[in-house]
């Protein structure tokens, strides 16, 4: 038989336990509860997946010729119209150290068009549009889908009429490149981490630019976050 007073009894037991904790902790009661909530916070952070690897404020790109020859062999120098004329001199490895140190992704960029490519496990993936803009600009690593593998997130700009910036990501498990629907018109953007461990989107300004493949950008105003919402990688803009 169900005891209809069970709910009341459960609540009474709960508050009795709370009273015991308060008495037992004495003046340190608040610290006891603080430790408990810290524990809950730690538990919550464990469900985030791998730690976000992203710039906090500034990102500088320095071009390199490293592994460009391997990239050229895979794409056969014919991905773009400039390929055959300029050969390997057209492409540069722009992979930031924080990407190279924590993953097997390599990012290459065309110095004339700004077109960006991801090289992963001897396959080439195109990052997104570039015409009229700077192409791929910002990068970050995050395990938003919590499958234990980093996705490569990136920003790029394009548009000769009204320039815009967009955000995409490459999932190495599925081999898919995905671009979010949201576009940021007349704005440059970049990806950053924050103290909460989230992957954030911010407006950005160019601190220095020598070419399409050598530049520095700095974060400015907060725009939104990339999160796991109902088991789907989602861009949420404030």
């Amino acid at each position: 038989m169900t005891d209809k007073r069970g709910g009341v009894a459960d609540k009474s037991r709960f508050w009795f336990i709370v009273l015991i904790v308060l008495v037992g902790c004495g003046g340190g009661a608040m610290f006891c509860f603080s430790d408990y909530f810290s524990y809950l916070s730690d538990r919550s952070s464990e469900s985030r997946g791998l730690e976000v690897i992203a710039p906090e404020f500034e990102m500088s790109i320095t071009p390199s010729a490293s592994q460009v020859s391997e990239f050229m062999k895979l794409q056969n120098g014919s991905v773009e119209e400039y390929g055959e004329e300029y050969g390997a001199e057209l492409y540069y490895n722009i992979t930031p150290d924080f990407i190279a140190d924590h993953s097997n992704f390599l990012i290459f960029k065309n110095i004339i068009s700004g077109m960006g490519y991801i090289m992963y496990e001897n396959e080439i993936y195109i990052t997104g549009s570039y015409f009229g803009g700077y192409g791929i600009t910002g990068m970050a690593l995050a395990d938003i889908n919590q499958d234990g593998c980093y996705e490569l997130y990136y920003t790029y700009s394009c548009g000769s009429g009204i320039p815009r910036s967009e955000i995409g990501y490459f999932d190495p498990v599925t081999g898919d490149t995905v671009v979010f629907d949201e576009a940021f018109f007349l704005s440059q953007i970049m990806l950053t981490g924050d103290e909460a461990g989230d992957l954030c989107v911010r407006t950005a300004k160019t601190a220095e630019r020598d070419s399409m493949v050598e530049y520095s950008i700095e974060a400015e105003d907060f725009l939104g976050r990339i999160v796991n919402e109902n088991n789907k990688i989602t861009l949420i803009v404030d």
Side-chain angles (χ1 to χ4, degrees), residues 124-187:
I124 302 296
Y125 303 87
I126 296 176
T127 56
S129 299
Y130 60 93
F131 185 76
Y134 293 119
I136 186 169
T137 52
M139 289 152 263
L141 295 174
D143 179 23
I144 304 297
N145 62 12
Q146 300 174 17
D147 64 356
C149 297
Y150 276 125
E151 302 95 47
L152 174 64
Y153 292 83
Y154 54 88
T155 60
Y156 63 92
S157 67
C158 58
S160 57
I162 302 177
R164 67 185 185 275
S165 294
E166 300 184 38
I167 306 168
Y169 67 90
F170 170 68
D171 185 340
V173 175
T174 63
D176 294 331
T177 53
V178 179
V179 175
F180 295 110
D181 293 334
E182 186 75 32
F184 302 88
F185 290 93
L186 301 175
S187 295

Side-chain angles (χ1 to χ4, degrees), residues 178-231:
V178 179
V179 175
F180 295 110
D181 293 334
E182 186 75 32
F184 302 88
F185 290 93
L186 301 175
S187 295
Q188 186 175 354
I189 60 175
M190 69 178 290
L191 300 169
T192 66
D194 68 4
E195 294 180 353
D198 291 332
L199 180 59
C200 302
V201 183
R202 296 181 180 275
T203 60
K205 67 176 182 180
T206 300
E208 184 177 353
R209 185 180 297 277
D210 294 328
S211 70
M212 284 281 195
V213 296
E214 188 168 8
Y215 55 88
S216 295
I217 54 177
E218 296 177 355
E220 293 188 311
D221 299 329
F222 178 83
L223 292 173
R225 291 182 174 85
I226 300 174
V227 301
N228 185 322
E229 187 173 70
N230 298 322
N231 294 319

Side-chain angles (χ1 to χ4, degrees), residues 4 14 25 27 36 39 50 56 73 89 98 105 108 111 142 170 180-181 189 198 205 214 222 238:
K4 295 181 180 181
F14 170 78
C25 291
Y36 175 70
Y39 165 77
L50 299 173
E56 292 184 6
K73 290 176 183 177
E89 295 179 3
F98 70 87
F105 301 121
F108 296 87
I111 193 173
F170 170 68
F180 295 110
D181 293 334
I189 60 175
D198 291 332
K205 67 176 182 180
E214 188 168 8
F222 178 83
D238 284 4

Side-chain angles (χ1 to χ4, degrees), residues 110-124:
N110 184 307
I111 193 173
I112 294 179
S113 69
M115 185 65 181
Y117 306 86
I118 300 166
M119 187 167 83
Y120 180 75
E121 293 189 346
N122 294 321
E123 296 286 343
I124 302 296

Side-chain angles (χ1 to χ4, degrees), residues 57-69:
F57 172 71
E58 181 180 8
M59 187 183 75
S60 297
I61 295 296
T62 302
S64 165
S66 174
Q67 296 188 264
V68 169
S69 58

